[in-house]
Amino acid sequence: MEMTGSLPVPSVQAMVAAGRHAPVPPRYLRPDLAADVVVADDATTIPIIDFQRLLLVDPEESARLHAACQDWGFFQKKMCTQLINHGVPDDVMEAMKASIQSFFALPAEAKQQYRQQAGQLEGYGQLFVVSEDQKLDWADVLYLNTQPPEHRNLSFWPAGESFRQTLDTYSAAVKHVADRLLGAMYMNLGLQLSIMDMDPERGAGIQSVNQLQGLQIKRPPDGGGAWAWLPVTPLQGAFVVNVGDVLEIFTNGRYRSVEHRALVNAHTERLSIAAFHSPSIHATIGPLPELLGDQEVPKYKTLDHQSFITLFFSAKLQGKSFLERMKKLS
């Protein structure tokens, strides 16, 4: 599948290893963030959804999911028993984290075997780098297509049966969760299950982290006022779920895609494993006619899958700028 590539940039890990006490290059500095308002109230947290209760079609939990998608755009799937509620066993999650940590611990020359190629997104590097002077994230990325298996390019998958088997197992388990989570969303929206057929590649996001705080979402404070950043404290063994741009477009704004960011820690590396889910490559992306009916005006354009992906990766992500580019001209 043809995609827009990302320009090559230096490895952050390599820069740190080469000069631990050297100043951070200007392209990575963001002094403008110092003025951002960050909510410090520990009582304000993103919603927690009990996945097992969703599977039982519990009306209260379904309503809680619906409200979280409408009002927050983010929530956490809680595992009451660590194994049962979202179906991904601890050992699968821990093996995936260990495999990713092992990859990023490899020598620089070993990781470069899997570097992104011109015009490609997959591989080791960064995403959304479209100019030589834009600000960059202080991060390195390993981006891989995992599901369905026929979309995999194994030349970018780190060698070794352990990594590949672990990622295969983990991605299949996360797909199982995503399919059922989307099914609950369909029911809440009154849609048929097949309408928003998704592949685990890009779109609605499920994320596990190494428990190091850094993820923040942007939302208005309770009672109104200026928008502020709310830190997300990851629960042990939980997935953090982001509604994402695709679902906001499909639902014509009923479900919210919320601006979010990850801040670096001055002393400890932060690991994030994000699984993005998007429509089938044969789908068109736009407000669903089944939701719009005869009266509602679509807020967003409708594009074929390839045009959508090309547009998505053609510019630096800045706030919700992509959704703005997808809006229909009035």
Side-chain angles (χ1 to χ4, degrees), residues 1-257:
M1 180 169 50
E2 181 183 357
M3 290 185 181
T4 301
S6 186
L7 295 178
V9 295
S11 162
V12 168
Q13 284 187 306
M15 286 191 290
V16 171
R20 291 188 175 275
H21 302 291
V24 176
R27 288 186 74 184
Y28 297 90
L29 297 177
R30 295 293 304 273
D32 54 306
L33 301 185
D36 288 350
V37 177
V38 178
V39 176
D41 183 4
D42 291 339
T44 304
T45 59
I46 68 173
I48 297 172
I49 303 299
D50 187 325
F51 192 62
Q52 183 63 29
R53 291 179 64 185
L54 279 182
L55 295 182
L56 296 174
V57 199
D58 180 280
E60 292 185 3
E61 204 65 22
S62 294
R64 190 174 292 113
L65 171 67
H66 195 48
C69 293
Q70 290 175 311
D71 301 333
W72 283 80
F74 263 86
F75 54 91
Q76 298 196 57
K77 290 203 299 297
K78 183 179 180 182
M79 297 189 300
C80 297
T81 62
Q82 294 287 335
L83 292 173
I84 296 174
N85 279 10
H86 70 36
V88 183
D90 277 354
D91 60 341
V92 172
M93 297 179 69
E94 292 304 316
M96 189 70 257
K97 293 177 185 178
S99 292
I100 294 297
Q101 287 172 326
S102 295
F103 170 78
F104 282 103
L106 290 173
E109 59 273 16
K111 293 194 288 285
Q112 286 301 311
Q113 298 178 51
Y114 309 103
R115 68 185 181 277
Q116 291 168 325
Q117 303 298 314
Q120 298 290 317
L121 292 169
E122 286 193 82
Y124 176 63
Q126 275 202 34
L127 299 176
F128 303 105
V129 182
V130 297
S131 73
E132 299 291 348
D133 56 359
Q134 74 182 64
K135 291 292 186 180
L136 299 175
D137 295 329
W138 190 249
D140 293 329
V141 173
L142 178 63
Y143 181 88
L144 302 171
N145 286 331
T146 60
Q147 297 285 345
E150 58 266 26
H151 288 178
R152 297 173 181 174
N153 185 340
L154 294 181
S155 65
F156 292 110
W157 289 43
E161 191 65 27
S162 176
F163 181 97
R164 296 183 177 187
Q165 182 60 51
T166 297
L167 182 53
D168 179 71
T169 301
Y170 179 80
S171 63
V174 172
K175 181 183 185 301
H176 181 83
V177 173
D179 287 346
R180 279 143 189 81
L181 181 60
L182 287 165
M185 293 180 183
Y186 304 158
M187 291 180 62
N188 281 334
L189 292 165
L191 296 172
Q192 296 297 318
L193 189 60
S194 61
I195 288 176
M196 295 193 296
D197 185 26
M198 308 282 271
D199 291 329
E201 294 174 356
R202 296 160 299 278
I206 295 179
Q207 181 182 68
S208 61
V209 298
N210 63 344
Q211 303 307 118
L212 183 67
Q213 194 175 79
L215 179 64
Q216 298 181 344
I217 65 172
K218 196 173 187 178
R219 65 177 279 107
D222 294 336
W227 286 62
W229 290 98
L230 173 67
V232 175
T233 302
L235 299 177
Q236 180 67 38
F239 286 130
V240 178
V241 181
N242 172 19
V243 165
D245 291 346
V246 172
L247 284 180
E248 175 159 337
I249 293 168
F250 271 150
T251 64
N252 207 38
R254 287 169 173 80
Y255 283 179
R256 295 180 57 202
S257 175

Side-chain angles (χ1 to χ4, degrees), residues 294-308:
D294 297 329
Q295 303 298 322
E296 187 175 342
V297 176
K299 300 176 182 178
Y300 302 101
K301 306 171 188 175
T302 295
L303 300 176
D304 64 76
H305 189 273
Q306 183 58 58
S307 298
F308 177 85

